[in-house]
Amino acid sequence: MNLHNIGVIGAGTMGNGIAQICAVAGINVTLLDISAGALEKALATVSKNLDRQVSKGILSEPQKHTALGNIHTSTDYASLANAQWVIEAATENLELKRRVLQQIAANVSEQCVIASNTSSLSITELAAGVNAPERFIGLHFFNPVPVMGLIEVIRGLQTSDTTHAQAIELAQYLGKTAITAGNRPGFVVNRILVPMINEAILVLQEGLASAEDIDAGMSLGCNQPIGPLALADLIGLDTLLAILEAFYEGFQDSKYRSAPLLREMVAAGYLGRKTGRGFHTYG
């Protein structure tokens, strides 16, 4: 794949993970965020993750330094001028993503492919704000990006066959397996997974079992590597709530109504691992 320059928008958990795997694959990455502090934190996270891969023998020390050297940070959208691909990884908010995508489209070449790392929002709707929407596609990476082997590739109504084929090729180049999903809320994986997590929260809310027992039951009884409540904490309860609300709005079906306990925990600021407290407590 003749790919040399890629832009990643958003230096949070997903963005820095996407930047890391692109850099390890030998691609020059422009990691863009509005905050210099967020960019510094992202680089520190990537360095720590690469150190972990070195300790496990996945990478050598020289490969780590090469990968870090492939990541360049910026707060200016003009730095995307030479990007062949740009992946938007902003917070899961429709209006925010629209604003970001409009700024990307205004600063990249006509040949640049633009993708959104969304877990629930409509690719067709997001593409409506991008000139030449045939070059727009959804790429749903999974957390943690360097570890998880899947990318969901989501076509909007306007996405061209060429863009779709390039997305599949990109996934393979990054060492991931791609599956293609239609443009419906949640696509494939989250359409199945998120209602299951919501049901686990309802079981906890009813006092049927403790958080520890629910997670142990699903891990040991269903061979899941992590229980649903621990997974909710990893995803972020605010993100989980946003996905459920997108489902509820998109399908107009009460089965996607979020558990009251989930809404209450988000209101309290108990968002999971990133705040140190969710359904479990973290040091």
Side-chain angles (χ1 to χ4, degrees):
M1 190 175 189
N2 187 27
L3 180 59
H4 306 292
N5 296 290
I6 195 164
V8 178
I9 312 301
T13 300
M14 299 305 294
N16 68 57
I18 295 167
Q20 177 181 325
I21 64 170
C22 291
V24 168
I27 304 167
N28 287 311
V29 180
T30 299
L31 180 60
L32 190 145
D33 201 287
I34 59 172
S35 165
L39 291 166
E40 291 175 7
K41 183 178 178 181
L43 285 179
T45 299
V46 170
S47 181
K48 182 179 178 181
N49 289 341
L50 292 174
D51 282 338
R52 187 178 298 113
Q53 291 187 326
V54 170
S55 69
K56 293 180 178 179
I58 299 171
L59 293 178
S60 67
E61 193 70 29
Q63 286 174 319
K64 170 202 164 182
H65 289 294
T66 298
L68 283 174
N70 286 339
I71 301 176
H72 314 278
T73 61
S74 177
T75 57
D76 185 358
Y77 280 86
S79 63
L80 302 174
N82 295 323
Q84 297 162 281
W85 271 80
V86 175
I87 301 172
E88 167 273 311
T91 303
E92 194 77 349
N93 176 280
L94 180 61
E95 293 307 316
L96 172 62
K97 285 184 179 289
R98 278 175 168 168
R99 291 196 299 270
V100 169
L101 290 168
Q102 287 171 356
Q103 292 186 77
I104 294 170
N107 283 277
V108 298
S109 71
E110 293 181 357
Q111 292 72 42
C112 180
V113 179
I114 304 173
S116 176
N117 175 55
T118 177
S119 56
S120 61
L121 299 176
S122 168
I123 300 304
T124 298
E125 194 169 358
L126 289 171
V130 177
N131 56 334
E134 66 274 6
R135 63 173 170 160
F136 183 77
I137 198 162
L139 291 180
H140 179 207
F141 293 80
F142 289 78
N143 185 29
V145 177
V147 176
M148 301 299 282
L150 180 69
I151 298 177
E152 281 184 309
V153 177
I154 306 101
R155 298 185 64 153
L157 196 61
Q158 313 95 317
T159 304
S160 70
D161 290 342
T162 299
T163 298
H164 176 252
Q166 290 175 330
I168 298 295
E169 188 178 3
L170 174 63
Q172 294 170 342
Y173 191 79
L174 296 177
K176 305 296 186 183
T177 297
I179 63 171
T180 298
N183 184 49
R184 296 292 183 274
F187 317 128
V188 173
V189 175
N190 278 347
R191 173 79 176 273
I192 298 166
L193 176 66
V194 170
M196 185 271 288
I197 296 174
N198 193 51
E199 193 66 28
I201 298 170
L202 288 167
V203 168
L204 177 66
Q205 177 182 299
E206 293 170 12
L208 188 62
S210 67
E212 292 75 16
D213 283 352
I214 291 168
D215 280 349
M218 294 303 291
S219 294
L220 299 174
C222 297
N223 207 28
Q224 294 184 356
I226 183 173
L229 300 178
L231 180 56
D233 286 347
L234 179 62
I235 294 168
L237 303 195
D238 52 340
T239 300
L240 185 66
L241 179 59
I243 295 169
L244 279 163
E245 288 177 341
F247 283 11
Y248 187 75
E249 182 177 351
F251 289 113
Q252 294 293 299
D253 190 329
S254 62
K255 75 178 180 180
Y256 298 113
R257 186 170 51 206
S258 58
L261 177 58
L262 174 62
R263 297 196 296 271
E264 187 175 13
M265 291 186 70
V266 171
Y270 301 155
L271 306 183
R273 286 182 178 270
K274 59 188 172 185
T275 59
R277 179 174 177 181
F279 295 109
H280 302 282
T281 303
Y282 304 90

